[in-house]
Amino acid sequence: MRRYLHFLWACFRLSFVGDWRYHAWMTVLTVIALTGLYAYCQQLVHGLQTTGMTDQVSWGAYIANFTYLVGLAAAAAMLVIPVYVYRNLQLHDVVIFGELLAVSVIVMCLLFVNVDLGRPDRFMHLFWRFNFPLSMLTWDVIALNGYLLLNLHICGYLIYSAYCGRTPSKAFYIPFVFIAIVWAVSIHTVTAFLYVGLGGRPFWNSAIIAPRFLASAFAAGPSFIILTLQIVRRFTAHYVADDALLTLRRIVQVAMIMNIFLLGCELFVEFYTDTAHVASARYLYFGLHGRHALVPWIWTAVLFDLLALALLVLPASRGLPALNLACVLSIVGIWIEKGMGLIVPAFIPTPLGEIVEYQPTVNEILVCFGIWAFGLLLYTVFVRVSVPVLAGEITAPGARPAAGAH
Amino acid sequence: MPANESHPMAGALPPDDGRPPQLTRRGFLSKGAVALAGASAVAAALSPLRELKPGDIPSLEQFLQKHYKEMTADEKHAAIARIAREVAARYGVQPNVADPPPLSGVEFVYALNISRCIGCRKCVYACVAENNPSRAPEIQYIRVLKMEKGSINIETADHHYDPPVVPGPDSYYMPVQCHQCAKPPCVKVCPVEATWQEPDGITVIDYDWCIGCRYCAAACPYWARRFNFAEPQIPAEKLNPDMSYLSNRPRPKGVMEKCTFCLQRTRVGRMPACVEVCPTGSRKFGNVLDPESEVAYILKHKRAFVLKEDVGTLPRFFYYFDERGSRYHEPIAPIQPEPGGGA
C-alpha cells in the first residue's frame, strides 16, 4: 500500500516534468479546460438555456460528442484483438496506449453525459432507484463505468508491475483483457440501443444503427490511434514501428469500407422506400421546407468519408503522409456523420411535424472544447507517466528495473 | 532505454528521498508564481457560481428527500410543508398544497371531438393558468395543430396559425397533449424512475427526483414533455395556489414536466381546466370504467381513433368525429355471398 502511494506520488511528480514544449502544451490544454469549466459554471447558474437545445431539439452537441467518443473508446479493442487474439507482435508494444486512450475517452464520455443533465446535483438518484433493466440509459451507465474500470485495472496493473520491477502475472490481467474486448463491443452496441429503441423517432428506429456505430468507430478510433502513436513516437522515447501503424491502416481500411457500405444500405432504404418516415433523412441530406442547416455538414462528412476510403484503398496510404490525411478525413467525417448527423436530425421534424433547427451556442461549444482539452490533458499525463515507467526508468525504491516488462 | 534529451517529455524526476526538496529563493518564487496563477485561473473559472441564489443550492432536506413512492406519510407531510414554505417565500402567496391519491375503480380517458374543435386555443391558456408552468421561458402542454382537410398527416400541420378568426376555411384542428399512454415509452426509458404511471392511468413526474436527462422527451412520440431550460418565471398574481405534489406545484429549473390530466382537480371530482373552458364542448373527460360515463359512451358509439396507433403506446387520449350520413341512413341488408361461390 505504501509502495502504491509512492507510485502515485511519483506519477504525480512526473506529470509536471518536461521541457518548455511539454509545459506549453499542458498550459494551453489547462487554459481551454478551465474556459470550459467557466462556461459550465455559467450553465449551472442559468440552466440549459445557455445551450442551443430546445423542447423541439432536446439533445445536441453534448450527446453528439458523447456518442462519437463512446466509439473512440471502443476502438481500443482494435489494438487489443490483434495483440491478444492473433499475437501480433508489432502492436504488442503499443497496445497500452490504446487502453490508456480508452480510459481518457470514457472519462470524457461521462463528462459529456453529466454536463447534459439538468440536475447534476441529483446524480445520486441513480444509486437509489436504478431503472434496470428497462431503461437503456442504465445499461449504458453500467457498460461505460465497467469499461472504465476494466481498462483502468489493465493499464494500472501493467504500469505498476513495471514500476515494481515485477513481471506482470497473466492471471491478473489476461482474463480482463478478453472481457474488455467483448465489453468494448457492448458499450457501443448499448449506446446505439439507447437511440434505436425509440419507436417515436423513425430516424433512429433502425436495426442498422448499431452495426453502423461499430463500423464507424472501428474506422475513426484506429485512425485516431495511428495519429496518436506517431505523436508518441515523435515526442517521447518510446519506439513505435511503422509496421504497427500499417497494421492499424488495414483495420481502418476494412472498417471504412463497411461503414460506407452500411451508410449506403441505410440511404437506400430511406430514400427508395420514401415513406413519411424519410423526413429526418431528407432534412439532413437535402433540407426540408426551406430549412437546411445540416446539409453542408453532412455532405462534407460524406465527401471526407469517401476521400478517406479512396486514399485507404490506394497503395499511396502505405506512406505516412497519405495515411495521416486519410486518418484526419475519417476522424472528422465520422465525427460529423455520427455526432451532429445522427443525433440532431432525429429531432427534426418533431413527432408533431414542427421544424425547429438546432445551433449550438458559444457557451455550449466552450464546454465541449473544455471537455476535449481535459481528455487530452489526461491522456498526455498518462503517456507522460507510462513511457518512462514501462521503460524501467522509474522504479520503486529497491526494485530491480525490468526494462520492457509488459 | 536512456532518456533522450530531445524529447519534450524526457527528463528524470528529481530525487525524492522523503526529505523536503532544497528550495532556492528563485525556485520558491517561480513555483509560487505558477501556483498562484493556477489557483487564480481556477477561481476565475468557478466565478459564475457566485451568481447562484440561495434557492439554487439544494438544502440538506431537499438533498436527502426520498423518491415519492418511498416516502412515509410523515415524510410526505414534511415535503408538502417545505413546498408550501418555499412557495410562500417566493411568491408571497399561501398555497394549498395537496396530494390527492388515485381513486380506486377509476381509469381516466380523454376524448376530443375533431368535428367540433374550432382551434381557438382557449384550452392552451386555461391549462397554463391552472398548472403553473413557466411563463418565461414559455411552457405550454397543449399544442393545437391546424390540419388541412383531406389529410391526417401531422407532418404538414400548421403549429403557428394566427388568423383574426377561427375556424379557418378548409381546415380542421387537432389539439395534442400528453396521451397518458398505457404503455408509456417515457416511463420505460427514465433511468431513475422519476416518472411512472399511476393506477388511474395518469403518468406523473416527481419533480424532486428527475435528473433532467431528457431521455423521456426523446422517447415520447407525441412531443408531450417539456423541460425547464431555465428557472421558471411565474408572476405572483398568476400563481394558482391550489396545487398538488405530483402535478401543478411550481417546478424547479432543470426538470421535466407535462400534462397530468389536471389530477389536482380530477382526483377530487372536477374536470380538467381544458375541458371546462372549451367553448364548443369538443373536450370530454371521465372514468372509462364507469359504463354510465360520457367517455364510455363515446368510445362505444362514436368513431374514435388514436394518433399514431402504429407506435403501439396505447394512448388514453382519443379523437373522434361526429357521424353524418351513413349512420342516419335507413338500415338495409348487406349483400350476402351467393350460395355456390362468388360474391
PDB file of all heavy atoms in Angstrom, chain A residues 19 21 49 55 58 116 122 129 131 135 194 201 351-352 384 393, chain B residues 1 6 8-9 70 159 189-190 207 210 214-215 218 227 229 308:
ATOM      1  N   ASP A  19      10.095  19.528 -20.939  1.00  0.00           N
ATOM      2  CA  ASP A  19      10.722  20.775 -21.392  1.00  0.00           C
ATOM      3  C   ASP A  19       9.648  21.824 -21.706  1.00  0.00           C
ATOM      4  O   ASP A  19       8.459  21.622 -21.452  1.00  0.00           O
ATOM      5  CB  ASP A  19      11.674  20.523 -22.570  1.00  0.00           C
ATOM      6  CG  ASP A  19      10.927  20.231 -23.850  1.00  0.00           C
ATOM      7  OD1 ASP A  19       9.673  20.198 -23.811  1.00  0.00           O
ATOM      8  OD2 ASP A  19      11.565  20.034 -24.890  1.00  0.00           O
ATOM      9  N   ARG A  21       8.216  22.752 -24.387  1.00  0.00           N
ATOM     10  CA  ARG A  21       7.123  22.375 -25.299  1.00  0.00           C
ATOM     11  C   ARG A  21       6.029  21.629 -24.548  1.00  0.00           C
ATOM     12  O   ARG A  21       4.836  21.845 -24.747  1.00  0.00           O
ATOM     13  CB  ARG A  21       7.664  21.486 -26.424  1.00  0.00           C
ATOM     14  CG  ARG A  21       8.477  22.229 -27.447  1.00  0.00           C
ATOM     15  CD  ARG A  21       9.113  21.281 -28.430  1.00  0.00           C
ATOM     16  NE  ARG A  21      10.142  20.478 -27.775  1.00  0.00           N
ATOM     17  CZ  ARG A  21      10.860  19.546 -28.396  1.00  0.00           C
ATOM     18  NH1 ARG A  21      10.665  19.281 -29.668  1.00  0.00           N
ATOM     19  NH2 ARG A  21      11.776  18.861 -27.746  1.00  0.00           N
ATOM     20  N   GLN A  49     -30.666  26.744 -20.720  1.00  0.00           N
ATOM     21  CA  GLN A  49     -30.985  27.755 -21.735  1.00  0.00           C
ATOM     22  C   GLN A  49     -29.703  28.351 -22.318  1.00  0.00           C
ATOM     23  O   GLN A  49     -29.749  29.017 -23.354  1.00  0.00           O
ATOM     24  CB  GLN A  49     -31.834  28.863 -21.132  1.00  0.00           C
ATOM     25  CG  GLN A  49     -31.124  29.622 -20.031  1.00  0.00           C
ATOM     26  CD  GLN A  49     -31.900  30.851 -19.576  1.00  0.00           C
ATOM     27  OE1 GLN A  49     -32.711  31.384 -20.310  1.00  0.00           O
ATOM     28  NE2 GLN A  49     -31.656  31.274 -18.360  1.00  0.00           N
ATOM     29  N   ASP A  55     -37.123  22.412 -26.452  1.00  0.00           N
ATOM     30  CA  ASP A  55     -38.018  21.271 -26.294  1.00  0.00           C
ATOM     31  C   ASP A  55     -38.132  20.488 -27.598  1.00  0.00           C
ATOM     32  O   ASP A  55     -38.384  19.292 -27.594  1.00  0.00           O
ATOM     33  CB  ASP A  55     -39.408  21.749 -25.853  1.00  0.00           C
ATOM     34  CG  ASP A  55     -39.499  21.846 -24.331  1.00  0.00           C
ATOM     35  OD1 ASP A  55     -38.913  20.992 -23.651  1.00  0.00           O
ATOM     36  OD2 ASP A  55     -40.141  22.791 -23.848  1.00  0.00           O
ATOM     37  N   SER A  58     -34.061  18.311 -28.173  1.00  0.00           N
ATOM     38  CA  SER A  58     -33.728  18.283 -26.749  1.00  0.00           C
ATOM     39  C   SER A  58     -32.373  17.652 -26.460  1.00  0.00           C
ATOM     40  O   SER A  58     -31.943  17.624 -25.314  1.00  0.00           O
ATOM     41  CB  SER A  58     -34.846  17.583 -25.969  1.00  0.00           C
ATOM     42  OG  SER A  58     -35.186  16.379 -26.578  1.00  0.00           O
ATOM     43  N   ASP A 116     -24.804  17.334 -19.705  1.00  0.00           N
ATOM     44  CA  ASP A 116     -26.109  17.385 -20.366  1.00  0.00           C
ATOM     45  C   ASP A 116     -27.258  17.324 -19.354  1.00  0.00           C
ATOM     46  O   ASP A 116     -28.400  17.620 -19.705  1.00  0.00           O
ATOM     47  CB  ASP A 116     -26.221  16.220 -21.352  1.00  0.00           C
ATOM     48  CG  ASP A 116     -27.424  16.360 -22.260  1.00  0.00           C
ATOM     49  OD1 ASP A 116     -27.475  17.343 -23.018  1.00  0.00           O
ATOM     50  OD2 ASP A 116     -28.325  15.507 -22.197  1.00  0.00           O
ATOM     51  N   ARG A 122     -28.452  15.835  -8.582  1.00  0.00           N
ATOM     52  CA  ARG A 122     -29.242  14.661  -8.187  1.00  0.00           C
ATOM     53  C   ARG A 122     -28.666  13.378  -8.769  1.00  0.00           C
ATOM     54  O   ARG A 122     -29.369  12.368  -8.875  1.00  0.00           O
ATOM     55  CB  ARG A 122     -30.684  14.819  -8.655  1.00  0.00           C
ATOM     56  CG  ARG A 122     -31.372  15.987  -7.996  1.00  0.00           C
ATOM     57  CD  ARG A 122     -32.796  16.085  -8.477  1.00  0.00           C
ATOM     58  NE  ARG A 122     -33.468  17.246  -7.911  1.00  0.00           N
ATOM     59  CZ  ARG A 122     -34.634  17.688  -8.348  1.00  0.00           C
ATOM     60  NH1 ARG A 122     -35.242  17.059  -9.331  1.00  0.00           N
ATOM     61  NH2 ARG A 122     -35.180  18.749  -7.792  1.00  0.00           N
ATOM     62  N   ARG A 129     -32.687   4.603  -7.130  1.00  0.00           N
ATOM     63  CA  ARG A 129     -33.709   3.933  -7.955  1.00  0.00           C
ATOM     64  C   ARG A 129     -33.151   3.825  -9.358  1.00  0.00           C
ATOM     65  O   ARG A 129     -33.203   4.765 -10.136  1.00  0.00           O
ATOM     66  CB  ARG A 129     -35.017   4.724  -7.939  1.00  0.00           C
ATOM     67  CG  ARG A 129     -35.758   4.575  -6.633  1.00  0.00           C
ATOM     68  CD  ARG A 129     -37.108   5.187  -6.702  1.00  0.00           C
ATOM     69  NE  ARG A 129     -38.091   4.299  -7.300  1.00  0.00           N
ATOM     70  CZ  ARG A 129     -38.895   3.513  -6.598  1.00  0.00           C
ATOM     71  NH1 ARG A 129     -38.815   3.483  -5.307  1.00  0.00           N
ATOM     72  NH2 ARG A 129     -39.785   2.752  -7.200  1.00  0.00           N
ATOM     73  N   ASN A 131     -33.381   2.229 -12.838  1.00  0.00           N
ATOM     74  CA  ASN A 131     -34.426   1.578 -13.637  1.00  0.00           C
ATOM     75  C   ASN A 131     -33.814   0.527 -14.573  1.00  0.00           C
ATOM     76  O   ASN A 131     -33.894   0.622 -15.789  1.00  0.00           O
ATOM     77  CB  ASN A 131     -35.188   2.628 -14.428  1.00  0.00           C
ATOM     78  CG  ASN A 131     -36.433   2.065 -15.083  1.00  0.00           C
ATOM     79  OD1 ASN A 131     -36.836   0.932 -14.807  1.00  0.00           O
ATOM     80  ND2 ASN A 131     -37.049   2.840 -15.955  1.00  0.00           N
ATOM     81  N   SER A 135     -34.564   0.682 -18.620  1.00  0.00           N
ATOM     82  CA  SER A 135     -34.025   1.861 -19.304  1.00  0.00           C
ATOM     83  C   SER A 135     -32.653   1.568 -19.897  1.00  0.00           C
ATOM     84  O   SER A 135     -31.747   1.115 -19.197  1.00  0.00           O
ATOM     85  CB  SER A 135     -33.909   3.011 -18.295  1.00  0.00           C
ATOM     86  OG  SER A 135     -33.154   4.055 -18.866  1.00  0.00           O
ATOM     87  N   LEU A 194     -29.656   2.808 -27.089  1.00  0.00           N
ATOM     88  CA  LEU A 194     -30.228   3.997 -26.465  1.00  0.00           C
ATOM     89  C   LEU A 194     -31.139   4.736 -27.445  1.00  0.00           C
ATOM     90  O   LEU A 194     -32.187   5.249 -27.093  1.00  0.00           O
ATOM     91  CB  LEU A 194     -29.058   4.903 -26.094  1.00  0.00           C
ATOM     92  CG  LEU A 194     -29.104   5.853 -24.941  1.00  0.00           C
ATOM     93  CD1 LEU A 194     -29.206   5.083 -23.654  1.00  0.00           C
ATOM     94  CD2 LEU A 194     -27.800   6.659 -24.911  1.00  0.00           C
ATOM     95  N   ARG A 201     -39.184   7.875 -32.869  1.00  0.00           N
ATOM     96  CA  ARG A 201     -38.153   8.574 -33.651  1.00  0.00           C
ATOM     97  C   ARG A 201     -37.730   7.679 -34.809  1.00  0.00           C
ATOM     98  O   ARG A 201     -36.753   6.935 -34.709  1.00  0.00           O
ATOM     99  CB  ARG A 201     -36.921   8.863 -32.784  1.00  0.00           C
ATOM    100  CG  ARG A 201     -37.202   9.640 -31.535  1.00  0.00           C
ATOM    101  CD  ARG A 201     -37.123  11.119 -31.762  1.00  0.00           C
ATOM    102  NE  ARG A 201     -37.621  11.852 -30.601  1.00  0.00           N
ATOM    103  CZ  ARG A 201     -37.991  13.119 -30.636  1.00  0.00           C
ATOM    104  NH1 ARG A 201     -37.935  13.799 -31.759  1.00  0.00           N
ATOM    105  NH2 ARG A 201     -38.420  13.718 -29.559  1.00  0.00           N
ATOM    106  N   PRO A 351     -41.945  14.980 -33.442  1.00  0.00           N
ATOM    107  CA  PRO A 351     -43.011  13.992 -33.673  1.00  0.00           C
ATOM    108  C   PRO A 351     -44.329  14.631 -34.104  1.00  0.00           C
ATOM    109  O   PRO A 351     -45.192  13.950 -34.642  1.00  0.00           O
ATOM    110  CB  PRO A 351     -43.156  13.316 -32.307  1.00  0.00           C
ATOM    111  CG  PRO A 351     -41.839  13.490 -31.656  1.00  0.00           C
ATOM    112  CD  PRO A 351     -41.306  14.802 -32.127  1.00  0.00           C
ATOM    113  N   LEU A 352     -44.496  15.931 -33.870  1.00  0.00           N
ATOM    114  CA  LEU A 352     -45.724  16.597 -34.338  1.00  0.00           C
ATOM    115  C   LEU A 352     -45.474  17.384 -35.623  1.00  0.00           C
ATOM    116  O   LEU A 352     -46.297  18.210 -36.017  1.00  0.00           O
ATOM    117  CB  LEU A 352     -46.281  17.521 -33.253  1.00  0.00           C
ATOM    118  CG  LEU A 352     -46.729  16.834 -31.967  1.00  0.00           C
ATOM    119  CD1 LEU A 352     -47.402  17.829 -31.040  1.00  0.00           C
ATOM    120  CD2 LEU A 352     -47.674  15.673 -32.251  1.00  0.00           C
ATOM    121  N   ARG A 384       2.789  10.464 -20.592  1.00  0.00           N
ATOM    122  CA  ARG A 384       3.985  11.026 -19.955  1.00  0.00           C
ATOM    123  C   ARG A 384       4.499  10.103 -18.859  1.00  0.00           C
ATOM    124  O   ARG A 384       5.694   9.882 -18.712  1.00  0.00           O
ATOM    125  CB  ARG A 384       3.624  12.400 -19.350  1.00  0.00           C
ATOM    126  CG  ARG A 384       4.659  12.986 -18.420  1.00  0.00           C
ATOM    127  CD  ARG A 384       5.864  13.415 -19.197  1.00  0.00           C
ATOM    128  NE  ARG A 384       7.016  13.783 -18.387  1.00  0.00           N
ATOM    129  CZ  ARG A 384       8.068  12.983 -18.184  1.00  0.00           C
ATOM    130  NH1 ARG A 384       8.062  11.751 -18.635  1.00  0.00           N
ATOM    131  NH2 ARG A 384       9.115  13.405 -17.516  1.00  0.00           N
ATOM    132  N   GLU A 393      12.637   3.140 -16.343  1.00  0.00           N
ATOM    133  CA  GLU A 393      13.457   4.262 -15.884  1.00  0.00           C
ATOM    134  C   GLU A 393      13.031   4.746 -14.510  1.00  0.00           C
ATOM    135  O   GLU A 393      13.809   5.339 -13.782  1.00  0.00           O
ATOM    136  CB  GLU A 393      13.352   5.429 -16.878  1.00  0.00           C
ATOM    137  CG  GLU A 393      14.083   5.169 -18.171  1.00  0.00           C
ATOM    138  CD  GLU A 393      13.646   6.122 -19.273  1.00  0.00           C
ATOM    139  OE1 GLU A 393      13.122   7.202 -18.946  1.00  0.00           O
ATOM    140  OE2 GLU A 393      13.800   5.764 -20.447  1.00  0.00           O
TER     141      GLU A 393
ATOM    142  N   MET B   1      16.030   1.928 -21.579  1.00  0.00           N
ATOM    143  CA  MET B   1      16.297   2.893 -22.673  1.00  0.00           C
ATOM    144  C   MET B   1      16.678   4.246 -22.058  1.00  0.00           C
ATOM    145  O   MET B   1      15.945   4.758 -21.223  1.00  0.00           O
ATOM    146  CB  MET B   1      15.041   3.056 -23.537  1.00  0.00           C
ATOM    147  CG  MET B   1      15.330   3.679 -24.882  1.00  0.00           C
ATOM    148  SD  MET B   1      13.788   3.809 -25.791  1.00  0.00           S
ATOM    149  CE  MET B   1      13.345   2.073 -25.905  1.00  0.00           C
ATOM    150  N   SER B   6      16.191  15.138 -26.364  1.00  0.00           N
ATOM    151  CA  SER B   6      15.485  15.932 -27.362  1.00  0.00           C
ATOM    152  C   SER B   6      13.964  15.791 -27.238  1.00  0.00           C
ATOM    153  O   SER B   6      13.224  16.456 -27.930  1.00  0.00           O
ATOM    154  CB  SER B   6      15.927  15.509 -28.763  1.00  0.00           C
ATOM    155  OG  SER B   6      15.355  14.266 -29.055  1.00  0.00           O
ATOM    156  N   PRO B   8      10.359  16.252 -25.522  1.00  0.00           N
ATOM    157  CA  PRO B   8       9.783  17.200 -24.555  1.00  0.00           C
ATOM    158  C   PRO B   8       9.375  16.528 -23.259  1.00  0.00           C
ATOM    159  O   PRO B   8       9.288  17.178 -22.235  1.00  0.00           O
ATOM    160  CB  PRO B   8       8.571  17.778 -25.285  1.00  0.00           C
ATOM    161  CG  PRO B   8       8.361  16.951 -26.485  1.00  0.00           C
ATOM    162  CD  PRO B   8       9.580  16.164 -26.757  1.00  0.00           C
ATOM    163  N   MET B   9       9.049  15.241 -23.307  1.00  0.00           N
ATOM    164  CA  MET B   9       8.598  14.593 -22.081  1.00  0.00           C
ATOM    165  C   MET B   9       9.750  13.912 -21.359  1.00  0.00           C
ATOM    166  O   MET B   9       9.548  13.181 -20.403  1.00  0.00           O
ATOM    167  CB  MET B   9       7.541  13.551 -22.398  1.00  0.00           C
ATOM    168  CG  MET B   9       6.242  14.160 -22.842  1.00  0.00           C
ATOM    169  SD  MET B   9       5.041  12.893 -22.910  1.00  0.00           S
ATOM    170  CE  MET B   9       3.747  13.719 -23.797  1.00  0.00           C
ATOM    171  N   GLU B  70     -41.300   6.125  -2.019  1.00  0.00           N
ATOM    172  CA  GLU B  70     -40.650   5.560  -0.836  1.00  0.00           C
ATOM    173  C   GLU B  70     -40.932   6.360   0.426  1.00  0.00           C
ATOM    174  O   GLU B  70     -40.551   5.949   1.514  1.00  0.00           O
ATOM    175  CB  GLU B  70     -39.134   5.485  -1.048  1.00  0.00           C
ATOM    176  CG  GLU B  70     -38.742   4.418  -2.040  1.00  0.00           C
ATOM    177  CD  GLU B  70     -37.281   4.456  -2.414  1.00  0.00           C
ATOM    178  OE1 GLU B  70     -36.517   5.195  -1.760  1.00  0.00           O
ATOM    179  OE2 GLU B  70     -36.922   3.768  -3.363  1.00  0.00           O
ATOM    180  N   HIS B 159     -48.433  24.703 -36.953  1.00  0.00           N
ATOM    181  CA  HIS B 159     -48.393  24.887 -35.499  1.00  0.00           C
ATOM    182  C   HIS B 159     -48.616  26.342 -35.098  1.00  0.00           C
ATOM    183  O   HIS B 159     -48.891  26.626 -33.961  1.00  0.00           O
ATOM    184  CB  HIS B 159     -47.026  24.471 -34.946  1.00  0.00           C
ATOM    185  CG  HIS B 159     -46.789  23.002 -34.967  1.00  0.00           C
ATOM    186  ND1 HIS B 159     -46.602  22.266 -33.829  1.00  0.00           N
ATOM    187  CD2 HIS B 159     -46.700  22.119 -35.989  1.00  0.00           C
ATOM    188  CE1 HIS B 159     -46.406  21.001 -34.141  1.00  0.00           C
ATOM    189  NE2 HIS B 159     -46.460  20.885 -35.445  1.00  0.00           N
ATOM    190  N   VAL B 189     -38.009   4.512 -20.351  1.00  0.00           N
ATOM    191  CA  VAL B 189     -36.625   4.931 -20.559  1.00  0.00           C
ATOM    192  C   VAL B 189     -36.033   5.696 -19.374  1.00  0.00           C
ATOM    193  O   VAL B 189     -34.812   5.833 -19.281  1.00  0.00           O
ATOM    194  CB  VAL B 189     -36.473   5.795 -21.825  1.00  0.00           C
ATOM    195  CG1 VAL B 189     -36.936   5.021 -23.040  1.00  0.00           C
ATOM    196  CG2 VAL B 189     -37.188   7.124 -21.697  1.00  0.00           C
ATOM    197  N   CYS B 190     -36.859   6.185 -18.459  1.00  0.00           N
ATOM    198  CA  CYS B 190     -36.319   7.023 -17.370  1.00  0.00           C
ATOM    199  C   CYS B 190     -35.324   6.226 -16.541  1.00  0.00           C
ATOM    200  O   CYS B 190     -35.668   5.185 -15.986  1.00  0.00           O
ATOM    201  CB  CYS B 190     -37.443   7.536 -16.471  1.00  0.00           C
ATOM    202  SG  CYS B 190     -36.788   8.490 -15.084  1.00  0.00           S
ATOM    203  N   TYR B 207     -40.966  15.836  -9.454  1.00  0.00           N
ATOM    204  CA  TYR B 207     -40.040  16.917  -9.855  1.00  0.00           C
ATOM    205  C   TYR B 207     -38.823  16.991  -8.946  1.00  0.00           C
ATOM    206  O   TYR B 207     -37.837  17.638  -9.293  1.00  0.00           O
ATOM    207  CB  TYR B 207     -40.758  18.271  -9.813  1.00  0.00           C
ATOM    208  CG  TYR B 207     -42.082  18.301 -10.549  1.00  0.00           C
ATOM    209  CD1 TYR B 207     -43.254  18.613  -9.885  1.00  0.00           C
ATOM    210  CD2 TYR B 207     -42.131  18.014 -11.911  1.00  0.00           C
ATOM    211  CE1 TYR B 207     -44.470  18.630 -10.554  1.00  0.00           C
ATOM    212  CE2 TYR B 207     -43.346  18.039 -12.577  1.00  0.00           C
ATOM    213  CZ  TYR B 207     -44.509  18.342 -11.896  1.00  0.00           C
ATOM    214  OH  TYR B 207     -45.706  18.357 -12.569  1.00  0.00           O
ATOM    215  N   CYS B 210     -36.404  13.904 -10.648  1.00  0.00           N
ATOM    216  CA  CYS B 210     -35.936  13.952 -12.044  1.00  0.00           C
ATOM    217  C   CYS B 210     -34.517  14.521 -12.104  1.00  0.00           C
ATOM    218  O   CYS B 210     -34.220  15.528 -11.466  1.00  0.00           O
ATOM    219  CB  CYS B 210     -36.886  14.833 -12.848  1.00  0.00           C
ATOM    220  SG  CYS B 210     -36.342  15.210 -14.507  1.00  0.00           S
ATOM    221  N   ARG B 214     -33.554  14.190 -20.050  1.00  0.00           N
ATOM    222  CA  ARG B 214     -34.401  14.434 -21.213  1.00  0.00           C
ATOM    223  C   ARG B 214     -34.533  13.218 -22.141  1.00  0.00           C
ATOM    224  O   ARG B 214     -34.869  13.341 -23.309  1.00  0.00           O
ATOM    225  CB  ARG B 214     -33.937  15.672 -22.003  1.00  0.00           C
ATOM    226  CG  ARG B 214     -33.806  16.895 -21.119  1.00  0.00           C
ATOM    227  CD  ARG B 214     -33.539  18.157 -21.883  1.00  0.00           C
ATOM    228  NE  ARG B 214     -32.309  18.092 -22.638  1.00  0.00           N
ATOM    229  CZ  ARG B 214     -31.094  18.023 -22.118  1.00  0.00           C
ATOM    230  NH1 ARG B 214     -30.942  17.985 -20.815  1.00  0.00           N
ATOM    231  NH2 ARG B 214     -30.037  17.972 -22.891  1.00  0.00           N
ATOM    232  N   TYR B 215     -34.255  12.027 -21.603  1.00  0.00           N
ATOM    233  CA  TYR B 215     -34.428  10.814 -22.398  1.00  0.00           C
ATOM    234  C   TYR B 215     -35.923  10.594 -22.665  1.00  0.00           C
ATOM    235  O   TYR B 215     -36.307  10.165 -23.753  1.00  0.00           O
ATOM    236  CB  TYR B 215     -33.820   9.627 -21.639  1.00  0.00           C
ATOM    237  CG  TYR B 215     -33.553   8.381 -22.457  1.00  0.00           C
ATOM    238  CD1 TYR B 215     -33.672   8.367 -23.847  1.00  0.00           C
ATOM    239  CD2 TYR B 215     -33.158   7.205 -21.837  1.00  0.00           C
ATOM    240  CE1 TYR B 215     -33.414   7.219 -24.574  1.00  0.00           C
ATOM    241  CE2 TYR B 215     -32.893   6.057 -22.562  1.00  0.00           C
ATOM    242  CZ  TYR B 215     -33.028   6.056 -23.926  1.00  0.00           C
ATOM    243  OH  TYR B 215     -32.768   4.910 -24.641  1.00  0.00           O
ATOM    244  N   ALA B 218     -37.053  12.487 -25.598  1.00  0.00           N
ATOM    245  CA  ALA B 218     -36.660  11.844 -26.859  1.00  0.00           C
ATOM    246  C   ALA B 218     -37.574  10.665 -27.162  1.00  0.00           C
ATOM    247  O   ALA B 218     -37.831  10.355 -28.321  1.00  0.00           O
ATOM    248  CB  ALA B 218     -35.205  11.375 -26.776  1.00  0.00           C
ATOM    249  N   PHE B 227     -39.337  20.712 -20.875  1.00  0.00           N
ATOM    250  CA  PHE B 227     -38.188  20.781 -19.980  1.00  0.00           C
ATOM    251  C   PHE B 227     -37.992  22.215 -19.502  1.00  0.00           C
ATOM    252  O   PHE B 227     -38.167  23.151 -20.274  1.00  0.00           O
ATOM    253  CB  PHE B 227     -36.937  20.295 -20.714  1.00  0.00           C
ATOM    254  CG  PHE B 227     -35.711  20.223 -19.849  1.00  0.00           C
ATOM    255  CD1 PHE B 227     -35.611  19.266 -18.849  1.00  0.00           C
ATOM    256  CD2 PHE B 227     -34.661  21.106 -20.018  1.00  0.00           C
ATOM    257  CE1 PHE B 227     -34.487  19.193 -18.041  1.00  0.00           C
ATOM    258  CE2 PHE B 227     -33.535  21.039 -19.212  1.00  0.00           C
ATOM    259  CZ  PHE B 227     -33.444  20.087 -18.228  1.00  0.00           C
ATOM    260  N   PHE B 229     -35.676  24.665 -19.153  1.00  0.00           N
ATOM    261  CA  PHE B 229     -34.322  25.037 -19.557  1.00  0.00           C
ATOM    262  C   PHE B 229     -33.777  26.176 -18.696  1.00  0.00           C
ATOM    263  O   PHE B 229     -32.577  26.408 -18.674  1.00  0.00           O
ATOM    264  CB  PHE B 229     -34.300  25.437 -21.034  1.00  0.00           C
ATOM    265  CG  PHE B 229     -34.329  24.258 -21.961  1.00  0.00           C
ATOM    266  CD1 PHE B 229     -35.526  23.766 -22.451  1.00  0.00           C
ATOM    267  CD2 PHE B 229     -33.159  23.630 -22.329  1.00  0.00           C
ATOM    268  CE1 PHE B 229     -35.553  22.667 -23.297  1.00  0.00           C
ATOM    269  CE2 PHE B 229     -33.168  22.524 -23.174  1.00  0.00           C
ATOM    270  CZ  PHE B 229     -34.371  22.047 -23.656  1.00  0.00           C
ATOM    271  N   LYS B 308     -51.230   8.099 -34.191  1.00  0.00           N
ATOM    272  CA  LYS B 308     -50.038   7.248 -34.307  1.00  0.00           C
ATOM    273  C   LYS B 308     -50.239   5.892 -33.644  1.00  0.00           C
ATOM    274  O   LYS B 308     -49.423   5.464 -32.814  1.00  0.00           O
ATOM    275  CB  LYS B 308     -48.826   7.917 -33.660  1.00  0.00           C
ATOM    276  CG  LYS B 308     -48.416   9.225 -34.287  1.00  0.00           C
ATOM    277  CD  LYS B 308     -47.020   9.578 -33.849  1.00  0.00           C
ATOM    278  CE  LYS B 308     -46.672  10.967 -34.268  1.00  0.00           C
ATOM    279  NZ  LYS B 308     -45.247  11.226 -34.210  1.00  0.00           N
TER     280      LYS B 308
END
